[in-house]
Amino acid sequence: MATGALYKFIRPLLFWLPAETSHSLTVATLRLLYRFPAAGTCLRFALLRRLPDLPISVMGLHFPNPVGLAAGLDKNGECIRPLADFGFGFIEIGTVTPRPQPGNPAPRMFRLANHAALINRLGFNNVGVYRMITNLAKSGKAGLIGINIGKNRDTPLERAVDDYLSMLQAVYLHADYVTVNISSPNTTGLRDLQNEENLHELLRALKAEQAILAAKYGRYVPIAIKVAPDLDDDQARIIAVQVLEHKFDAVVATNTTITRPGLAHEPLASQTGGLSGRPLKRLSTDIIRKLYSHLQGKAPIIGVGGIENAEDAWEKLVAGADLIQLYTALIYEGPCIVNKIVRGLAKYVSDSGCETLHQAVIRARKA
């Protein structure tokens, strides 16, 4: 595919730059290109013309395919339309907080190219929820949009619920679903919200507010909770029990890891922050499997972490995921990866003799 060849040419130039500079340049370039209608037409022709239909219904939403963009790439909702034209079945933007914040000091993003991985300690850098909403309005509707919400770093843990409630209220009418991020390792104390007592209070408050907003606007917007890959068996069980008790709509598994699996001799592994990409693959799949053993399909799972191809995506689905997301592999492989994964999953369905992805996955889980 010509687009793939073009990215192979461009990637060395992007990788010559510091990781965050390259990221910012890419976002800015996509925004600039889409000021010219022909750019979008060309991208759609290159990336979507061979994209098979692979529909699936999750959280009461109908996804054209199960491959989504994970939060973190488009934090501020600045380039939703070009990203949608990559072929994603849904896009998650954010993490966004009530007030703008700059995040942690730079440098704060590092490539581990030999391992197809990234380490970041960005720290929820974003323009704040109201400017993000303005960006969304400018972009127009471009498929299913999830909004990933967090608390401001200077909000004490005992007031974190207030930040999440204000965020849910602010984004409710603009999201197809909302993800509650309590698992980033780059905001001090945030992962403490995964503890049983804190989690109970947060989920209870969010579900109560969701009910109020649904009645007010006549529209039910699902809420997912994003968890860490660094959970032990008991922590995974507690989260699953709380999700079922509070009737949460989904779990996103997982965020980045603070461990460094298989990176003992990698110099950059000593950098603090969350690790994503290939080394995260097994950790995230194990958490998905643990959560599914408790949830048993009563709450869907969105699988994230180390997905580089259709085989990885299929493994996540069979382990218990209903949808999958990627981010780091997009950086290393370019936009054609979405098309490749969707076509690969379609082949799994065809080879299974089933008519739908859901049927094929259920059959594979029972095998």
PDB file of all heavy atoms in Angstrom, residues 84-122:
ATOM      1  N   ALA A  84      -9.866   9.357  12.382  1.00  0.00           N
ATOM      2  CA  ALA A  84     -10.990   8.504  11.986  1.00  0.00           C
ATOM      3  C   ALA A  84     -10.770   7.937  10.592  1.00  0.00           C
ATOM      4  O   ALA A  84     -11.140   6.792  10.306  1.00  0.00           O
ATOM      5  CB  ALA A  84     -12.295   9.296  12.051  1.00  0.00           C
ATOM      6  N   ASP A  85     -10.134   8.722   9.735  1.00  0.00           N
ATOM      7  CA  ASP A  85      -9.876   8.263   8.369  1.00  0.00           C
ATOM      8  C   ASP A  85      -8.780   7.207   8.289  1.00  0.00           C
ATOM      9  O   ASP A  85      -8.556   6.618   7.227  1.00  0.00           O
ATOM     10  CB  ASP A  85      -9.534   9.456   7.467  1.00  0.00           C
ATOM     11  CG  ASP A  85     -10.758  10.286   7.130  1.00  0.00           C
ATOM     12  OD1 ASP A  85     -11.878   9.782   7.299  1.00  0.00           O
ATOM     13  OD2 ASP A  85     -10.594  11.445   6.703  1.00  0.00           O
ATOM     14  N   PHE A  86      -8.086   6.958   9.395  1.00  0.00           N
ATOM     15  CA  PHE A  86      -7.148   5.829   9.439  1.00  0.00           C
ATOM     16  C   PHE A  86      -7.899   4.499   9.431  1.00  0.00           C
ATOM     17  O   PHE A  86      -7.306   3.457   9.160  1.00  0.00           O
ATOM     18  CB  PHE A  86      -6.281   5.887  10.696  1.00  0.00           C
ATOM     19  CG  PHE A  86      -5.220   6.954  10.691  1.00  0.00           C
ATOM     20  CD1 PHE A  86      -5.117   7.880   9.667  1.00  0.00           C
ATOM     21  CD2 PHE A  86      -4.308   7.032  11.729  1.00  0.00           C
ATOM     22  CE1 PHE A  86      -4.144   8.873   9.676  1.00  0.00           C
ATOM     23  CE2 PHE A  86      -3.323   8.008  11.754  1.00  0.00           C
ATOM     24  CZ  PHE A  86      -3.245   8.934  10.735  1.00  0.00           C
ATOM     25  N   GLY A  87      -9.196   4.536   9.775  1.00  0.00           N
ATOM     26  CA  GLY A  87      -9.995   3.317   9.782  1.00  0.00           C
ATOM     27  C   GLY A  87     -10.415   2.841  11.157  1.00  0.00           C
ATOM     28  O   GLY A  87     -11.047   1.785  11.288  1.00  0.00           O
ATOM     29  N   PHE A  88     -10.085   3.588  12.203  1.00  0.00           N
ATOM     30  CA  PHE A  88     -10.459   3.178  13.552  1.00  0.00           C
ATOM     31  C   PHE A  88     -11.969   3.052  13.705  1.00  0.00           C
ATOM     32  O   PHE A  88     -12.730   3.890  13.201  1.00  0.00           O
ATOM     33  CB  PHE A  88      -9.949   4.195  14.583  1.00  0.00           C
ATOM     34  CG  PHE A  88      -8.467   4.148  14.821  1.00  0.00           C
ATOM     35  CD1 PHE A  88      -7.643   5.174  14.380  1.00  0.00           C
ATOM     36  CD2 PHE A  88      -7.898   3.077  15.486  1.00  0.00           C
ATOM     37  CE1 PHE A  88      -6.275   5.141  14.600  1.00  0.00           C
ATOM     38  CE2 PHE A  88      -6.528   3.030  15.715  1.00  0.00           C
ATOM     39  CZ  PHE A  88      -5.714   4.057  15.271  1.00  0.00           C
ATOM     40  N   GLY A  89     -12.395   2.025  14.422  1.00  0.00           N
ATOM     41  CA  GLY A  89     -13.809   1.855  14.713  1.00  0.00           C
ATOM     42  C   GLY A  89     -14.310   2.824  15.757  1.00  0.00           C
ATOM     43  O   GLY A  89     -15.514   3.085  15.855  1.00  0.00           O
ATOM     44  N   PHE A  90     -13.392   3.358  16.540  1.00  0.00           N
ATOM     45  CA  PHE A  90     -13.723   4.383  17.540  1.00  0.00           C
ATOM     46  C   PHE A  90     -12.427   5.045  17.982  1.00  0.00           C
ATOM     47  O   PHE A  90     -11.336   4.493  17.813  1.00  0.00           O
ATOM     48  CB  PHE A  90     -14.479   3.799  18.741  1.00  0.00           C
ATOM     49  CG  PHE A  90     -13.731   2.736  19.516  1.00  0.00           C
ATOM     50  CD1 PHE A  90     -13.237   2.989  20.796  1.00  0.00           C
ATOM     51  CD2 PHE A  90     -13.554   1.465  18.992  1.00  0.00           C
ATOM     52  CE1 PHE A  90     -12.572   2.016  21.513  1.00  0.00           C
ATOM     53  CE2 PHE A  90     -12.898   0.473  19.715  1.00  0.00           C
ATOM     54  CZ  PHE A  90     -12.399   0.746  20.973  1.00  0.00           C
ATOM     55  N   ILE A  91     -12.548   6.246  18.525  1.00  0.00           N
ATOM     56  CA  ILE A  91     -11.384   7.026  18.947  1.00  0.00           C
ATOM     57  C   ILE A  91     -11.620   7.513  20.364  1.00  0.00           C
ATOM     58  O   ILE A  91     -12.686   8.056  20.678  1.00  0.00           O
ATOM     59  CB  ILE A  91     -11.161   8.228  18.003  1.00  0.00           C
ATOM     60  CG1 ILE A  91     -10.702   7.732  16.630  1.00  0.00           C
ATOM     61  CG2 ILE A  91     -10.142   9.201  18.578  1.00  0.00           C
ATOM     62  CD1 ILE A  91     -10.663   8.807  15.581  1.00  0.00           C
ATOM     63  N   GLU A  92     -10.616   7.323  21.208  1.00  0.00           N
ATOM     64  CA  GLU A  92     -10.693   7.823  22.580  1.00  0.00           C
ATOM     65  C   GLU A  92      -9.714   8.975  22.732  1.00  0.00           C
ATOM     66  O   GLU A  92      -8.514   8.814  22.492  1.00  0.00           O
ATOM     67  CB  GLU A  92     -10.371   6.706  23.578  1.00  0.00           C
ATOM     68  CG  GLU A  92     -10.670   7.089  25.020  1.00  0.00           C
ATOM     69  CD  GLU A  92     -10.622   5.896  25.964  1.00  0.00           C
ATOM     70  OE1 GLU A  92     -11.277   4.871  25.667  1.00  0.00           O
ATOM     71  OE2 GLU A  92      -9.923   5.987  26.990  1.00  0.00           O
ATOM     72  N   ILE A  93     -10.213  10.127  23.106  1.00  0.00           N
ATOM     73  CA  ILE A  93      -9.362  11.307  23.282  1.00  0.00           C
ATOM     74  C   ILE A  93      -9.138  11.559  24.769  1.00  0.00           C
ATOM     75  O   ILE A  93      -9.849  11.051  25.612  1.00  0.00           O
ATOM     76  CB  ILE A  93      -9.962  12.544  22.595  1.00  0.00           C
ATOM     77  CG1 ILE A  93     -11.332  12.902  23.195  1.00  0.00           C
ATOM     78  CG2 ILE A  93     -10.088  12.324  21.095  1.00  0.00           C
ATOM     79  CD1 ILE A  93     -11.895  14.206  22.670  1.00  0.00           C
ATOM     80  N   GLY A  94      -8.135  12.390  25.080  1.00  0.00           N
ATOM     81  CA  GLY A  94      -7.780  12.654  26.462  1.00  0.00           C
ATOM     82  C   GLY A  94      -6.461  11.961  26.798  1.00  0.00           C
ATOM     83  O   GLY A  94      -5.772  11.459  25.905  1.00  0.00           O
ATOM     84  N   THR A  95      -6.082  11.934  28.044  1.00  0.00           N
ATOM     85  CA  THR A  95      -6.859  12.275  29.226  1.00  0.00           C
ATOM     86  C   THR A  95      -6.973  13.789  29.347  1.00  0.00           C
ATOM     87  O   THR A  95      -5.993  14.517  29.177  1.00  0.00           O
ATOM     88  CB  THR A  95      -6.215  11.689  30.488  1.00  0.00           C
ATOM     89  OG1 THR A  95      -6.215  10.270  30.378  1.00  0.00           O
ATOM     90  CG2 THR A  95      -6.943  12.089  31.745  1.00  0.00           C
ATOM     91  N   VAL A  96      -8.187  14.247  29.705  1.00  0.00           N
ATOM     92  CA  VAL A  96      -8.447  15.665  29.887  1.00  0.00           C
ATOM     93  C   VAL A  96      -8.875  15.896  31.327  1.00  0.00           C
ATOM     94  O   VAL A  96      -9.483  15.021  31.958  1.00  0.00           O
ATOM     95  CB  VAL A  96      -9.521  16.150  28.878  1.00  0.00           C
ATOM     96  CG1 VAL A  96     -10.863  15.491  29.143  1.00  0.00           C
ATOM     97  CG2 VAL A  96      -9.656  17.667  28.894  1.00  0.00           C
ATOM     98  N   THR A  97      -8.523  17.052  31.861  1.00  0.00           N
ATOM     99  CA  THR A  97      -8.790  17.392  33.253  1.00  0.00           C
ATOM    100  C   THR A  97      -9.653  18.647  33.334  1.00  0.00           C
ATOM    101  O   THR A  97      -9.799  19.373  32.342  1.00  0.00           O
ATOM    102  CB  THR A  97      -7.467  17.617  34.010  1.00  0.00           C
ATOM    103  OG1 THR A  97      -6.699  18.620  33.321  1.00  0.00           O
ATOM    104  CG2 THR A  97      -6.653  16.336  34.098  1.00  0.00           C
ATOM    105  N   PRO A  98     -10.235  18.931  34.524  1.00  0.00           N
ATOM    106  CA  PRO A  98     -11.101  20.118  34.616  1.00  0.00           C
ATOM    107  C   PRO A  98     -10.408  21.410  34.215  1.00  0.00           C
ATOM    108  O   PRO A  98     -10.952  22.216  33.463  1.00  0.00           O
ATOM    109  CB  PRO A  98     -11.490  20.139  36.103  1.00  0.00           C
ATOM    110  CG  PRO A  98     -11.407  18.712  36.541  1.00  0.00           C
ATOM    111  CD  PRO A  98     -10.254  18.139  35.765  1.00  0.00           C
ATOM    112  N   ARG A  99      -9.188  21.602  34.710  1.00  0.00           N
ATOM    113  CA  ARG A  99      -8.431  22.803  34.383  1.00  0.00           C
ATOM    114  C   ARG A  99      -7.222  22.451  33.522  1.00  0.00           C
ATOM    115  O   ARG A  99      -6.695  21.340  33.630  1.00  0.00           O
ATOM    116  CB  ARG A  99      -7.951  23.482  35.683  1.00  0.00           C
ATOM    117  CG  ARG A  99      -9.074  24.123  36.480  1.00  0.00           C
ATOM    118  CD  ARG A  99      -8.597  24.592  37.855  1.00  0.00           C
ATOM    119  NE  ARG A  99      -8.483  23.477  38.797  1.00  0.00           N
ATOM    120  CZ  ARG A  99      -7.343  22.986  39.248  1.00  0.00           C
ATOM    121  NH1 ARG A  99      -6.188  23.507  38.842  1.00  0.00           N
ATOM    122  NH2 ARG A  99      -7.324  21.996  40.116  1.00  0.00           N
ATOM    123  N   PRO A 100      -6.761  23.365  32.674  1.00  0.00           N
ATOM    124  CA  PRO A 100      -5.560  23.086  31.888  1.00  0.00           C
ATOM    125  C   PRO A 100      -4.381  22.816  32.812  1.00  0.00           C
ATOM    126  O   PRO A 100      -4.303  23.364  33.922  1.00  0.00           O
ATOM    127  CB  PRO A 100      -5.333  24.384  31.096  1.00  0.00           C
ATOM    128  CG  PRO A 100      -6.631  25.113  31.146  1.00  0.00           C
ATOM    129  CD  PRO A 100      -7.297  24.722  32.429  1.00  0.00           C
ATOM    130  N   GLN A 101      -3.455  21.972  32.369  1.00  0.00           N
ATOM    131  CA  GLN A 101      -2.220  21.788  33.121  1.00  0.00           C
ATOM    132  C   GLN A 101      -1.093  21.392  32.170  1.00  0.00           C
ATOM    133  O   GLN A 101      -1.330  20.722  31.162  1.00  0.00           O
ATOM    134  CB  GLN A 101      -2.393  20.773  34.249  1.00  0.00           C
ATOM    135  CG  GLN A 101      -2.793  19.376  33.846  1.00  0.00           C
ATOM    136  CD  GLN A 101      -2.986  18.481  35.073  1.00  0.00           C
ATOM    137  OE1 GLN A 101      -3.382  18.912  36.159  1.00  0.00           O
ATOM    138  NE2 GLN A 101      -2.680  17.210  34.909  1.00  0.00           N
ATOM    139  N   PRO A 102       0.128  21.819  32.481  1.00  0.00           N
ATOM    140  CA  PRO A 102       1.241  21.590  31.561  1.00  0.00           C
ATOM    141  C   PRO A 102       1.812  20.187  31.639  1.00  0.00           C
ATOM    142  O   PRO A 102       2.551  19.772  30.732  1.00  0.00           O
ATOM    143  CB  PRO A 102       2.284  22.626  32.006  1.00  0.00           C
ATOM    144  CG  PRO A 102       2.000  22.828  33.469  1.00  0.00           C
ATOM    145  CD  PRO A 102       0.504  22.692  33.607  1.00  0.00           C
ATOM    146  N   GLY A 103       1.529  19.450  32.693  1.00  0.00           N
ATOM    147  CA  GLY A 103       2.124  18.138  32.864  1.00  0.00           C
ATOM    148  C   GLY A 103       3.498  18.229  33.490  1.00  0.00           C
ATOM    149  O   GLY A 103       3.899  19.261  34.051  1.00  0.00           O
ATOM    150  N   ASN A 104       4.245  17.144  33.408  1.00  0.00           N
ATOM    151  CA  ASN A 104       5.559  17.068  34.030  1.00  0.00           C
ATOM    152  C   ASN A 104       6.625  17.753  33.168  1.00  0.00           C
ATOM    153  O   ASN A 104       6.429  17.950  31.968  1.00  0.00           O
ATOM    154  CB  ASN A 104       5.937  15.604  34.250  1.00  0.00           C
ATOM    155  CG  ASN A 104       5.035  14.938  35.269  1.00  0.00           C
ATOM    156  OD1 ASN A 104       4.706  15.523  36.305  1.00  0.00           O
ATOM    157  ND2 ASN A 104       4.615  13.707  34.989  1.00  0.00           N
ATOM    158  N   PRO A 105       7.771  18.087  33.764  1.00  0.00           N
ATOM    159  CA  PRO A 105       8.839  18.731  32.988  1.00  0.00           C
ATOM    160  C   PRO A 105       9.373  17.809  31.886  1.00  0.00           C
ATOM    161  O   PRO A 105       9.422  16.596  32.038  1.00  0.00           O
ATOM    162  CB  PRO A 105       9.929  18.995  34.040  1.00  0.00           C
ATOM    163  CG  PRO A 105       9.231  18.951  35.358  1.00  0.00           C
ATOM    164  CD  PRO A 105       8.103  17.972  35.192  1.00  0.00           C
ATOM    165  N   ALA A 106       9.779  18.417  30.772  1.00  0.00           N
ATOM    166  CA  ALA A 106      10.408  17.675  29.676  1.00  0.00           C
ATOM    167  C   ALA A 106      11.900  17.518  29.965  1.00  0.00           C
ATOM    168  O   ALA A 106      12.472  18.333  30.708  1.00  0.00           O
ATOM    169  CB  ALA A 106      10.179  18.417  28.368  1.00  0.00           C
ATOM    170  N   PRO A 107      12.529  16.466  29.374  1.00  0.00           N
ATOM    171  CA  PRO A 107      11.943  15.441  28.498  1.00  0.00           C
ATOM    172  C   PRO A 107      11.106  14.454  29.303  1.00  0.00           C
ATOM    173  O   PRO A 107      11.435  14.137  30.438  1.00  0.00           O
ATOM    174  CB  PRO A 107      13.174  14.763  27.887  1.00  0.00           C
ATOM    175  CG  PRO A 107      14.243  14.941  28.922  1.00  0.00           C
ATOM    176  CD  PRO A 107      13.994  16.292  29.526  1.00  0.00           C
ATOM    177  N   ARG A 108      10.031  13.973  28.683  1.00  0.00           N
ATOM    178  CA  ARG A 108       9.078  13.139  29.410  1.00  0.00           C
ATOM    179  C   ARG A 108       8.477  12.034  28.542  1.00  0.00           C
ATOM    180  O   ARG A 108       7.499  11.405  28.930  1.00  0.00           O
ATOM    181  CB  ARG A 108       7.978  14.018  29.986  1.00  0.00           C
ATOM    182  CG  ARG A 108       7.314  14.921  28.945  1.00  0.00           C
ATOM    183  CD  ARG A 108       6.435  15.968  29.579  1.00  0.00           C
ATOM    184  NE  ARG A 108       5.777  16.789  28.554  1.00  0.00           N
ATOM    185  CZ  ARG A 108       4.901  17.745  28.830  1.00  0.00           C
ATOM    186  NH1 ARG A 108       4.574  18.004  30.085  1.00  0.00           N
ATOM    187  NH2 ARG A 108       4.334  18.419  27.856  1.00  0.00           N
ATOM    188  N   MET A 109       9.063  11.816  27.363  1.00  0.00           N
ATOM    189  CA  MET A 109       8.648  10.721  26.490  1.00  0.00           C
ATOM    190  C   MET A 109       9.887  10.154  25.804  1.00  0.00           C
ATOM    191  O   MET A 109      10.722  10.909  25.297  1.00  0.00           O
ATOM    192  CB  MET A 109       7.631  11.205  25.448  1.00  0.00           C
ATOM    193  CG  MET A 109       7.123  10.101  24.524  1.00  0.00           C
ATOM    194  SD  MET A 109       5.958  10.700  23.264  1.00  0.00           S
ATOM    195  CE  MET A 109       4.489  10.940  24.246  1.00  0.00           C
ATOM    196  N   PHE A 110       9.998   8.817  25.802  1.00  0.00           N
ATOM    197  CA  PHE A 110      11.208   8.166  25.319  1.00  0.00           C
ATOM    198  C   PHE A 110      10.850   6.937  24.482  1.00  0.00           C
ATOM    199  O   PHE A 110       9.992   6.150  24.865  1.00  0.00           O
ATOM    200  CB  PHE A 110      12.083   7.734  26.504  1.00  0.00           C
ATOM    201  CG  PHE A 110      12.341   8.846  27.480  1.00  0.00           C
ATOM    202  CD1 PHE A 110      11.476   9.068  28.545  1.00  0.00           C
ATOM    203  CD2 PHE A 110      13.426   9.688  27.305  1.00  0.00           C
ATOM    204  CE1 PHE A 110      11.702  10.105  29.437  1.00  0.00           C
ATOM    205  CE2 PHE A 110      13.658  10.735  28.197  1.00  0.00           C
ATOM    206  CZ  PHE A 110      12.793  10.944  29.266  1.00  0.00           C
ATOM    207  N   ARG A 111      11.517   6.805  23.342  1.00  0.00           N
ATOM    208  CA  ARG A 111      11.323   5.632  22.486  1.00  0.00           C
ATOM    209  C   ARG A 111      12.315   4.536  22.858  1.00  0.00           C
ATOM    210  O   ARG A 111      13.510   4.804  23.010  1.00  0.00           O
ATOM    211  CB  ARG A 111      11.535   5.977  21.017  1.00  0.00           C
ATOM    212  CG  ARG A 111      10.609   7.014  20.446  1.00  0.00           C
ATOM    213  CD  ARG A 111      10.854   7.119  18.941  1.00  0.00           C
ATOM    214  NE  ARG A 111      10.294   8.341  18.398  1.00  0.00           N
ATOM    215  CZ  ARG A 111      10.975   9.475  18.256  1.00  0.00           C
ATOM    216  NH1 ARG A 111      12.251   9.515  18.608  1.00  0.00           N
ATOM    217  NH2 ARG A 111      10.401  10.538  17.755  1.00  0.00           N
ATOM    218  N   LEU A 112      11.831   3.313  22.953  1.00  0.00           N
ATOM    219  CA  LEU A 112      12.680   2.139  23.082  1.00  0.00           C
ATOM    220  C   LEU A 112      12.502   1.358  21.785  1.00  0.00           C
ATOM    221  O   LEU A 112      11.757   0.377  21.716  1.00  0.00           O
ATOM    222  CB  LEU A 112      12.282   1.306  24.299  1.00  0.00           C
ATOM    223  CG  LEU A 112      12.637   1.866  25.692  1.00  0.00           C
ATOM    224  CD1 LEU A 112      11.847   3.125  26.018  1.00  0.00           C
ATOM    225  CD2 LEU A 112      12.386   0.826  26.773  1.00  0.00           C
ATOM    226  N   ALA A 113      13.156   1.843  20.736  1.00  0.00           N
ATOM    227  CA  ALA A 113      12.862   1.373  19.378  1.00  0.00           C
ATOM    228  C   ALA A 113      13.149  -0.113  19.199  1.00  0.00           C
ATOM    229  O   ALA A 113      12.424  -0.792  18.451  1.00  0.00           O
ATOM    230  CB  ALA A 113      13.663   2.187  18.366  1.00  0.00           C
ATOM    231  N   ASN A 114      14.155  -0.644  19.857  1.00  0.00           N
ATOM    232  CA  ASN A 114      14.469  -2.062  19.711  1.00  0.00           C
ATOM    233  C   ASN A 114      13.384  -2.964  20.286  1.00  0.00           C
ATOM    234  O   ASN A 114      13.351  -4.164  20.003  1.00  0.00           O
ATOM    235  CB  ASN A 114      15.805  -2.383  20.388  1.00  0.00           C
ATOM    236  CG  ASN A 114      16.986  -1.777  19.657  1.00  0.00           C
ATOM    237  OD1 ASN A 114      16.908  -1.520  18.458  1.00  0.00           O
ATOM    238  ND2 ASN A 114      18.070  -1.531  20.376  1.00  0.00           N
ATOM    239  N   HIS A 115      12.511  -2.386  21.101  1.00  0.00           N
ATOM    240  CA  HIS A 115      11.445  -3.152  21.738  1.00  0.00           C
ATOM    241  C   HIS A 115      10.057  -2.670  21.317  1.00  0.00           C
ATOM    242  O   HIS A 115       9.054  -3.106  21.900  1.00  0.00           O
ATOM    243  CB  HIS A 115      11.581  -3.056  23.259  1.00  0.00           C
ATOM    244  CG  HIS A 115      12.923  -3.485  23.771  1.00  0.00           C
ATOM    245  ND1 HIS A 115      13.238  -4.804  24.024  1.00  0.00           N
ATOM    246  CD2 HIS A 115      14.053  -2.763  24.040  1.00  0.00           C
ATOM    247  CE1 HIS A 115      14.493  -4.885  24.448  1.00  0.00           C
ATOM    248  NE2 HIS A 115      15.009  -3.665  24.466  1.00  0.00           N
ATOM    249  N   ALA A 116       9.989  -1.786  20.325  1.00  0.00           N
ATOM    250  CA  ALA A 116       8.723  -1.208  19.868  1.00  0.00           C
ATOM    251  C   ALA A 116       7.908  -0.697  21.046  1.00  0.00           C
ATOM    252  O   ALA A 116       6.714  -0.980  21.190  1.00  0.00           O
ATOM    253  CB  ALA A 116       7.922  -2.238  19.069  1.00  0.00           C
ATOM    254  N   ALA A 117       8.572   0.084  21.889  1.00  0.00           N
ATOM    255  CA  ALA A 117       7.959   0.529  23.140  1.00  0.00           C
ATOM    256  C   ALA A 117       8.169   2.024  23.350  1.00  0.00           C
ATOM    257  O   ALA A 117       9.017   2.654  22.701  1.00  0.00           O
ATOM    258  CB  ALA A 117       8.544  -0.252  24.312  1.00  0.00           C
ATOM    259  N   LEU A 118       7.386   2.574  24.266  1.00  0.00           N
ATOM    260  CA  LEU A 118       7.527   3.959  24.705  1.00  0.00           C
ATOM    261  C   LEU A 118       7.493   4.002  26.222  1.00  0.00           C
ATOM    262  O   LEU A 118       6.809   3.191  26.858  1.00  0.00           O
ATOM    263  CB  LEU A 118       6.386   4.834  24.172  1.00  0.00           C
ATOM    264  CG  LEU A 118       6.249   5.073  22.673  1.00  0.00           C
ATOM    265  CD1 LEU A 118       4.947   5.799  22.393  1.00  0.00           C
ATOM    266  CD2 LEU A 118       7.428   5.877  22.145  1.00  0.00           C
ATOM    267  N   ILE A 119       8.212   4.952  26.791  1.00  0.00           N
ATOM    268  CA  ILE A 119       8.043   5.314  28.192  1.00  0.00           C
ATOM    269  C   ILE A 119       7.612   6.770  28.217  1.00  0.00           C
ATOM    270  O   ILE A 119       8.222   7.620  27.554  1.00  0.00           O
ATOM    271  CB  ILE A 119       9.338   5.131  29.004  1.00  0.00           C
ATOM    272  CG1 ILE A 119       9.677   3.641  29.135  1.00  0.00           C
ATOM    273  CG2 ILE A 119       9.202   5.761  30.393  1.00  0.00           C
ATOM    274  CD1 ILE A 119      11.013   3.378  29.800  1.00  0.00           C
ATOM    275  N   ASN A 120       6.544   7.062  28.960  1.00  0.00           N
ATOM    276  CA  ASN A 120       6.132   8.456  29.079  1.00  0.00           C
ATOM    277  C   ASN A 120       5.820   8.784  30.537  1.00  0.00           C
ATOM    278  O   ASN A 120       5.375   7.938  31.305  1.00  0.00           O
ATOM    279  CB  ASN A 120       4.932   8.762  28.180  1.00  0.00           C
ATOM    280  CG  ASN A 120       3.602   8.560  28.878  1.00  0.00           C
ATOM    281  OD1 ASN A 120       3.145   9.417  29.645  1.00  0.00           O
ATOM    282  ND2 ASN A 120       2.974   7.407  28.648  1.00  0.00           N
ATOM    283  N   ARG A 121       6.105  10.020  30.875  1.00  0.00           N
ATOM    284  CA  ARG A 121       5.694  10.566  32.177  1.00  0.00           C
ATOM    285  C   ARG A 121       5.092  11.956  31.938  1.00  0.00           C
ATOM    286  O   ARG A 121       5.449  12.939  32.583  1.00  0.00           O
ATOM    287  CB  ARG A 121       6.874  10.609  33.141  1.00  0.00           C
ATOM    288  CG  ARG A 121       8.138  11.279  32.634  1.00  0.00           C
ATOM    289  CD  ARG A 121       9.166  11.415  33.769  1.00  0.00           C
ATOM    290  NE  ARG A 121      10.388  12.043  33.320  1.00  0.00           N
ATOM    291  CZ  ARG A 121      11.486  11.385  32.958  1.00  0.00           C
ATOM    292  NH1 ARG A 121      11.503  10.061  32.967  1.00  0.00           N
ATOM    293  NH2 ARG A 121      12.575  12.050  32.586  1.00  0.00           N
ATOM    294  N   LEU A 122       4.177  12.005  30.961  1.00  0.00           N
ATOM    295  CA  LEU A 122       3.602  13.284  30.534  1.00  0.00           C
ATOM    296  C   LEU A 122       2.842  13.979  31.656  1.00  0.00           C
ATOM    297  O   LEU A 122       2.932  15.190  31.824  1.00  0.00           O
ATOM    298  CB  LEU A 122       2.687  13.057  29.332  1.00  0.00           C
ATOM    299  CG  LEU A 122       3.407  12.636  28.047  1.00  0.00           C
ATOM    300  CD1 LEU A 122       2.428  12.111  27.009  1.00  0.00           C
ATOM    301  CD2 LEU A 122       4.211  13.791  27.475  1.00  0.00           C
TER     302      LEU A 122
END
